[in-house]
Amino acid sequence: DKVKQLCRSAVSDTSEGFDFSDITKKGEQFDNEYYEGGTYFNYEIENDSGDHRLKNDASRINRIYQDEAQSRVIDLPLYLNAFDPDQDGCEIDAAFCCWVQDRQAGDNNGNCGTPYESQCIDRDPGDNANFCYTDHTRSGADVQGGFSIFGNVLNNQENIEGAIHCHGFAWGPDENDVSNIYKGNNLFYVSLYDHMHQRGYVRNAPGSAMCGCAENMAVVTRADCTEIEADQTYTFNYSGSFQSVLSKVKKVRFNACQGANNRNNDLEAYYKRLVNEGKQTQANLEKLQKTLVGAEAGKCNQAIVNFMASKGISRSNGANSISENTITPDMIIVDESEPKIFEVVDNDYEWEKASNTAGKSMPLVAYDVTEDFAEKGTEEEEKPEKPSKDDDDEQSVTMTDEEAELVFQAEEAAAAENYSEDEV
């Protein structure tokens, strides 16, 4: 125990450390916005003139990888709200990123191509996962509440969001474990170097941060995984008492995770291996599995159903249903024995379903049943009075053209006579 304590002190007191904030040197606000999916690292795309070239704009990232990332201890930026909105240090010791766009051509990753201005607009990363849903209330993105759903439970469809790419890492709680010591290095490698600088993967899913503690990220099927291997030297001194220091980090290597049951490059499988080795708990694994729900068919939609149920929304036969105590005008009772279950008629969906006519005429726009519940007036609407027979307009309707002309001329003459009298 004394040696372990000395080793922990050696890491915290080492001169081999490197602050995460010194990676970009653009300030906390820039770093926070980057992990939300913002800044020019995420938004800009190279044009045909070569402006906004990623390798140039992010050249410092490559220098950090070649030097500090492989030979220094980088801290995990838990001070960034985007990465750790709960400020609890990542509850289950795992983090990952999900990207939805590719902004760089010529790297054999994603489908961004050249010329950039026509072949790299809203291009996709290599697809390795599916979004299920995002709970905005737990997210590190700057969104106040609500949720986003990325599945069609009614038609049993998944993977409807298009190509996404997710990649993460995990560590043991033991501060002397290599995975824990170099977790900041791993975040740098995964989020800034390997995927942004090298592959051009950028942007976040709606309502979710781009990277963050696993418990705050969008619920997805799976994520790739990187683990750390490092050579390091500790020096112990005795001068009345033992002292130690992490005197040298010789080499930090970033490898594809070796997971349990020969499942490699998979974050959930790597976490199972940590559990099998006694470095993590089964309880934390089960929490992780609520965010990484599994790639088997149906698991994503089942996660959506479970989440919606937690919000008081459940399915009924043929349509979505909602559990509420108040009946709104667009709700129809479908089961008298369960008075709190109502069928909601989604006119947009009904119209979309009717529109799938395989070349036939489009249907009429769906009728909004709420119009039937519009407040009805109790008083009879006033009708405009019918002009009397003596009205000039009514008379003009029965005149011939010649008679109307004579009347007009007489009115003009009378007006001229009145004008002359006024002048006198």
Side-chain angles (χ1 to χ4, degrees):
D1 291 341
K2 181 63 175 177
V3 173
K4 289 182 178 180
Q5 182 180 351
L6 288 171
C7 288
R8 284 194 294 270
S9 299
V11 173
S12 61
D13 297 337
T14 183
S15 60
E16 296 293 294
F18 186 80
D19 291 338
F20 198 94
S21 60
D22 286 336
I23 293 174
T24 66
K25 282 191 173 294
K26 296 182 182 297
E28 182 175 329
Q29 182 176 349
F30 180 94
D31 292 347
N32 196 69
E33 289 183 7
Y34 172 74
Y35 283 109
E36 285 183 345
T39 76
Y40 66 88
F41 279 174
N42 283 298
Y43 291 150
E44 290 184 350
I45 298 174
E46 184 175 341
N47 59 30
D48 293 346
S49 301
D51 299 323
H52 313 305
R53 182 166 296 166
L54 182 58
K55 285 291 196 292
N56 295 339
D57 291 349
S59 59
R60 179 172 172 80
I61 301 302
N62 185 55
R63 293 198 299 272
I64 295 296
Y65 171 71
Q66 299 298 335
D67 297 327
E68 284 77 11
Q70 298 181 72
S71 60
R72 306 283 290 275
V73 178
I74 302 177
D75 63 309
L76 194 66
L78 299 174
Y79 55 88
L80 297 178
N81 286 328
F83 185 80
D84 183 18
D86 298 330
Q87 296 293 288
D88 61 358
C90 290
E91 179 186 352
I92 56 175
D93 301 330
F96 66 92
C97 306
C98 287
W99 302 271
V100 300
Q101 187 173 329
D102 178 20
R103 60 162 290 185
Q104 181 171 263
D107 55 21
N108 295 318
N109 288 281
N111 62 6
C112 169
T114 56
Y116 272 92
E117 292 180 17
S118 61
Q119 300 301 315
C120 196
I121 304 300
D122 196 23
R123 293 296 172 150
D124 298 327
D127 194 5
N128 74 343
N130 296 334
F131 279 130
C132 303
Y133 68 87
T134 299
D135 183 356
H136 301 173
T137 59
R138 75 178 197 176
S139 169
D142 191 16
V143 181
Q144 296 302 313
F147 52 85
S148 300
I149 301 297
F150 299 96
N152 188 332
V153 176
L154 185 61
N155 292 329
N156 197 30
Q157 292 177 331
E158 300 177 327
N159 192 26
I160 67 174
E161 76 284 354
I164 68 166
H165 191 94
C166 298
H167 197 116
F169 58 99
W171 58 94
D174 184 354
E175 295 178 6
N176 291 325
D177 192 87
V178 168
S179 65
N180 188 309
I181 295 172
Y182 298 100
K183 54 185 180 290
N185 300 59
N186 215 344
L187 175 64
F188 163 79
Y189 177 81
V190 168
S191 64
L192 285 161
Y193 179 73
D194 185 41
H195 288 86
M196 190 269 287
H197 184 273
Q198 295 297 96
R199 310 188 198 193
Y201 290 177
V202 292
R203 306 295 294 273
N204 61 307
S208 174
M210 187 179 70
C211 303
C213 296
E215 65 270 17
N216 301 117
M217 288 294 291
V219 173
V220 299
T221 52
R222 64 170 305 280
D224 289 349
C225 179
T226 294
E227 65 173 311
I228 293 289
E229 183 181 355
D231 298 328
Q232 50 196 4
T233 300
Y234 290 90
T235 301
F236 294 87
N237 297 316
Y238 181 79
S239 176
S241 63
F242 276 108
Q243 294 180 337
S244 63
V245 64
L246 177 57
S247 58
K248 184 64 177 177
V249 178
K250 294 182 179 179
K251 183 69 173 179
V252 177
R253 293 177 289 278
F254 304 91
N255 303 324
C257 289
Q258 305 298 301
N261 302 318
N262 294 318
R263 285 175 55 207
N264 300 326
N265 195 31
D266 184 89
L267 181 54
E268 182 199 6
Y270 176 69
Y271 209 96
K272 285 183 178 178
R273 175 188 144 197
L274 293 180
V275 173
N276 294 341
E277 294 176 353
K279 296 180 179 180
Q280 267 299 344
T281 66
Q282 180 66 28
N284 278 351
L285 172 61
E286 291 172 2
K287 290 179 181 179
L288 178 65
Q289 289 170 333
K290 293 181 179 179
T291 301
L292 303 176
V293 299
E296 293 84 354
K299 286 198 170 183
C300 204
N301 275 348
Q302 185 59 52
I304 293 173
V305 170
N306 295 342
F307 171 71
M308 298 296 282
S310 73
K311 300 296 183 182
I313 303 173
S314 58
R315 293 187 61 193
S316 69
N317 294 329
N320 295 328
S321 66
I322 182 168
S323 297
E324 290 290 351
N325 294 319
T326 304
I327 302 176
T328 58
D330 60 339
M331 292 184 177
I332 304 169
I333 297 178
V334 295
D335 188 347
E336 293 289 352
S337 65
E338 295 288 345
K340 293 184 180 180
I341 303 298
F342 308 98
E343 186 174 57
V344 181
V345 179
D346 186 340
N347 292 312
D348 291 335
Y349 172 73
E350 294 298 326
W351 184 85
E352 180 183 344
K353 184 169 62 175
S355 300
N356 188 17
T357 56
K360 298 179 182 178
S361 300
M362 291 291 287
L364 296 175
V365 175
Y367 173 64
D368 190 347
V369 297
T370 59
E371 294 177 2
D372 288 340
F373 294 85
E375 184 177 351
K376 304 296 184 182
T378 57
E379 297 181 0
E380 188 174 333
E381 293 184 3
E382 294 185 2
K383 297 180 180 179
E385 294 182 1
K386 184 176 181 180
S388 66
K389 293 290 184 181
D390 296 332
D391 189 85
D392 289 341
D393 290 337
E394 182 67 22
Q395 293 177 17
S396 67
V397 174
T398 61
M399 290 181 184
T400 64
D401 292 342
E402 291 78 6
E403 289 173 334
E405 180 64 25
L406 289 173
V407 172
F408 175 74
Q409 291 176 2
E411 291 176 347
E412 288 290 303
E417 183 178 349
N418 291 336
Y419 177 76
S420 298
E421 291 176 356
D422 292 343
E423 286 294 315
V424 175

